[in-house]
Amino acid sequence: MDKNSLEHRKLEVLHEACRIIGKAFDLDNALRDILYVLAEKLRMKRASITLYDEDADRLFIRASYGLSPEEEARGVYAPGEGITGQVFLTGEPCVVLNVKQEPLFLNRTGARKLEREEISFLAVPIMLEDKAIGVLSVDRLFEDGIDYHEDINFLEIVALLVAQFVQLRRNIEKREIHLKQENLLLRTELKKRFSDFMASSRSPEMQKVLTLVRQVAPTRATVLLQGESGTGKTLTARLIHDLSPRAGKPFVKINCASLPENLLEAELFGYEKGAFTGAIKSKPGLLEEAHEGTVFLDEISELSLELQAKLLRFIQEREFERLGSTKTRRVDVRIIAATNRDLENLAREGKFREDLFFRLNVFPIYIPPLRERLEDLPLLINFILRRLSKEYARNLRLTPKAMEIMSRYHWPGNVRELENFLERLFILSENDTVTEGLISSLLKKVLPEKESSLSLEIPPQELSEEEIIEVLKRHNFIIARAAKELGLTFRQLRYRIQCLGIEEKIPLRRGRPPKTAYHGK
């Protein structure tokens, strides 16, 4: 090979190596591509890149050309061992004109037939920040007249490129570790936030919900969350996911009422190119995107009967076909469904598939409305105020009278309405202390005229502990009946009992009047 031809080939190698740098995300394949170009362009018989592993204190072949996987696996060297180990330890290149005459050449891979081949071996250190991180080595069939010093100079340039590849990959790995740590911290923070929110409760009903969440979270069981809108079903579903072994995998929420049936099916199961007008390319569905994670089907009662049948098949078999495809796909997802309607009644009326209801109702959890756990209201208000204070960069405090008035309101929109109301306070309140005047004016705007005065009345403060207990005794400690005698609402009497701190002294029985709203049982 004449000198001009050799120089041209070397330039080709460098050009190809620079193009390969875009593949450095996949380090092993990028290194193999470099060695392939190096060997093919410069007629080198074998080539290998050996990198140092600090944990093992050994050099391992990371990529090669001309070696089988078995031969690669045998290429392990301690620093200072053999030619490869010496080049790594000293940081100096080495040329062995004929390996048969070099006792330090170990031929550990067994790839070279030393008794038949006359092979020259060239090795250069791979340097990064003045420190050897590995060795680049090549085999050449021995030929007279080859300028090996020129080859070494060229290999050192290639080794420099390899070092940059390794550095880039290490930076990517560090970034990935950092992102994983950030993601873990974020998930931990979110989990704590969710847990704090759910734990902002003293009511037995919500404590029961939390107990059920902790019991079902580690399992694969399908969960059905029931309760009125705004009670925190999405939050509960996310908490179940975050407390499960699937916490690091996707949590995909699908609102079954937000899309028309045809679009919802496409979103759920995905579609192939040409499946319908506008399907210009194939698209995986949300079920595929949630593989190994959790799918939250909100407002499940809004699914059409046809789509219910397809969902039933998926829940039973965990398999489906994309729209426009006959290929059956399988995914591993956990199903959590939610509804604010009575699915059992809907099933009896033929408006919801009974078999799907039974599949979903493996582990039902009923989340009570806020009006049934008003004892939690102060804790919830303080929790939401703390969260909003970070968003609005100010602290808001409610006076006792303001808090008392809020406890008189029945909150038909539940926790969601409470959150929206408190955010409105941050916007409208000119002072950091919110008085009963602003609370009353805002609540009266959302109350029917005939209820506004009654719902916001403060319960009579003159009722003593003894008087309340005496009335409760007469009604077998049923709050609703005692409240009626006193001319109070159930909530007013309950709040007065809490204010006096006598809950533990009396065996309270709720005795609530029949509810007009759905109660999920």
Side-chain angles (χ1 to χ4, degrees):
M1 184 186 300
D2 63 65
K3 188 168 184 178
N4 288 335
S5 176
L6 179 61
E7 290 299 324
H8 177 71
R9 287 177 180 270
K10 286 180 178 179
L11 287 174
E12 286 183 335
V13 171
L14 291 177
H15 178 69
E16 290 296 323
C18 289
R19 291 180 60 186
I20 293 169
I21 198 167
K23 301 179 181 179
F25 292 99
D26 185 353
L27 182 62
D28 291 341
N29 283 333
L31 296 181
R32 289 191 187 97
D33 287 349
I34 285 182
L35 294 180
Y36 175 82
V37 172
L38 189 66
E40 291 295 311
K41 296 291 183 182
L42 299 182
R43 300 176 184 174
M44 294 178 175
K45 192 171 181 65
R46 278 172 289 270
S48 64
I49 293 173
T50 309
L51 297 180
Y52 178 62
D53 186 320
E54 290 186 5
D55 294 332
D57 192 29
R58 289 291 186 274
L59 291 147
F60 297 90
I61 293 179
R62 184 69 181 262
S64 70
Y65 173 83
L67 299 180
S68 68
E70 294 76 16
E71 291 167 342
E72 269 193 15
R74 291 195 292 266
V76 181
Y77 308 90
E81 185 179 25
I83 299 295
T84 299
Q86 283 288 332
V87 169
F88 172 77
L89 195 63
T90 63
E92 297 292 334
C94 179
V95 176
V96 178
L97 295 181
N98 191 337
V99 296
K100 287 194 293 185
Q101 301 173 3
E102 176 53 64
L104 282 177
F105 188 79
L106 302 178
N107 191 29
R108 183 155 289 170
T109 63
R112 302 161 183 88
K113 309 304 179 187
L114 300 184
E115 69 280 1
R116 297 200 303 266
E117 297 179 335
E118 290 190 354
I119 298 170
S120 299
F121 181 77
L122 294 80
V124 298
I126 301 170
M127 305 295 292
L128 187 61
E129 298 176 353
D130 297 325
K131 180 181 178 182
I133 61 168
V135 175
L136 167 63
S137 59
V138 299
D139 287 6
R140 264 188 179 278
L141 291 177
F142 176 78
E143 297 178 44
D144 290 327
I146 292 179
D147 188 343
Y148 290 105
H149 293 292
E150 193 171 295
D151 278 351
I152 287 290
N153 290 336
F154 179 71
L155 288 177
E156 286 179 329
I157 295 173
V158 176
L160 180 61
L161 286 173
V162 171
Q164 297 307 308
F165 277 38
V166 174
Q167 175 76 320
L168 179 59
R169 182 58 205 168
R170 286 180 178 179
N171 289 340
I172 293 170
E173 288 174 351
K174 285 180 182 178
R175 180 63 178 161
E176 287 176 347
I177 292 171
H178 177 68
L179 289 174
K180 286 179 180 178
Q181 289 174 340
E182 279 191 339
N183 191 32
L184 178 61
L185 288 172
L186 180 60
R187 286 206 312 270
T188 302
E189 182 181 340
L190 287 173
K191 189 183 296 185
K192 182 179 184 303
R193 199 180 96 189
F194 294 150
S195 300
D196 287 348
F197 183 81
M198 296 298 289
S200 295
S201 172
R202 292 175 181 168
S203 68
E205 293 90 344
M206 284 306 296
Q207 290 303 313
K208 181 180 178 182
V209 169
L210 288 171
T211 298
L212 293 174
V213 165
R214 293 188 189 100
Q215 288 175 341
V216 77
T219 73
R220 297 172 57 90
T222 300
V223 180
L224 178 62
L225 302 176
Q226 300 168 293
E228 297 176 9
S229 295
T231 51
K233 296 188 290 295
T234 301
L235 196 66
T236 306
R238 185 66 198 239
L239 185 59
I240 292 171
H241 173 77
D242 283 343
L243 293 177
S244 77
R246 300 172 182 260
K249 301 298 182 178
F251 175 82
V252 176
K253 177 185 174 183
I254 304 169
N255 190 312
C256 300
S258 63
L259 293 172
E261 180 183 348
N262 58 335
L263 291 181
L264 181 57
E265 183 177 0
E267 283 294 306
L268 270 173
F269 300 108
Y271 53 82
E272 295 296 334
K273 180 181 179 180
F276 51 83
T277 303
I280 58 175
K281 63 179 181 180
S282 299
K283 181 180 182 298
L286 294 175
L287 293 176
E288 289 179 75
E289 291 181 6
H291 181 56
E292 297 183 340
T294 301
V295 170
F296 176 48
L297 299 172
D298 198 11
E299 301 191 57
I300 188 76
S301 61
E302 303 304 314
L303 285 181
S304 68
L305 290 173
E306 183 180 352
L307 203 48
Q308 288 178 33
K310 294 183 178 181
L311 178 62
L312 175 64
R313 181 220 169 183
F314 171 73
I315 293 175
Q316 289 176 328
E317 309 295 337
R318 289 299 191 269
E319 62 182 33
F320 64 97
E321 289 82 36
R322 292 180 182 176
L323 291 180
S325 172
T326 58
K327 178 182 177 182
T328 298
R329 301 172 185 272
R330 294 185 62 85
V331 293
D332 171 25
V333 298
R334 181 187 196 162
I335 299 293
I336 300 177
T339 181
N340 59 2
R341 303 177 67 186
D342 191 332
L343 287 189
E344 192 170 6
N345 282 338
L346 291 176
R348 280 196 292 265
E349 295 169 2
K351 298 176 181 177
F352 196 87
R353 291 184 65 106
E354 190 175 43
D355 45 6
L356 177 57
F357 167 69
F358 289 128
R359 282 286 179 180
L360 295 173
N361 200 42
V362 175
F363 197 90
I365 298 178
Y366 169 66
I367 304 174
L370 187 53
R371 65 179 175 276
E372 292 185 12
R373 53 186 187 99
L374 285 177
E375 59 264 55
D376 292 341
L377 194 62
L379 292 169
L380 282 170
I381 289 173
N382 289 329
F383 172 81
I384 296 169
L385 287 177
R386 286 196 300 271
R387 177 172 60 80
L388 291 173
S389 68
K390 296 178 182 178
E391 296 180 19
Y392 285 88
R394 61 181 294 204
N395 293 315
L396 217 58
R397 186 183 71 85
L398 273 64
T399 65
K401 286 282 188 182
M403 186 78 78
E404 199 171 359
I405 290 175
M406 288 185 68
S407 70
R408 305 282 63 78
Y409 181 54
H410 63 290
W411 300 106
N414 295 297
V415 178
R416 185 182 298 127
E417 182 184 7
L418 176 63
E419 288 181 309
N420 293 340
F421 181 83
L422 292 174
E423 186 164 8
R424 201 175 305 129
L425 289 182
F426 272 87
I427 298 170
L428 297 177
S429 179
E430 296 179 358
N431 302 310
D432 290 341
T433 300
V434 180
T435 63
E436 62 270 24
L438 178 58
I439 298 293
S440 297
S441 64
L442 289 177
L443 287 180
K444 284 178 180 177
K445 289 178 182 178
V446 296
L447 285 171
E449 186 175 346
K450 64 180 181 179
E451 294 182 15
S452 61
S453 60
L454 291 174
S455 299
L456 299 180
E457 283 180 358
I458 306 300
Q461 301 300 316
E462 64 272 11
L463 286 174
S464 67
E465 176 181 329
E466 293 76 15
E467 288 174 317
I468 291 175
I469 292 177
E470 185 62 34
V471 175
L472 284 168
K473 284 180 180 178
R474 284 202 297 271
H475 294 284
N476 198 24
F477 293 97
I478 296 176
I479 299 177
R481 295 177 184 174
K484 187 175 181 180
E485 178 181 327
L486 292 168
L488 303 174
T489 65
F490 173 87
R491 290 185 294 276
Q492 286 176 327
L493 180 54
R494 179 72 179 181
Y495 184 76
R496 183 61 180 155
I497 290 170
Q498 290 173 333
C499 290
L500 291 171
I502 58 176
E503 285 182 294
E504 297 179 0
K505 298 181 181 180
I506 51 180
L508 291 178
R509 297 171 62 185
R510 291 184 176 273
R512 297 189 188 91
K515 303 170 195 162
T516 56
Y518 163 64
H519 52 84
K521 296 182 180 178

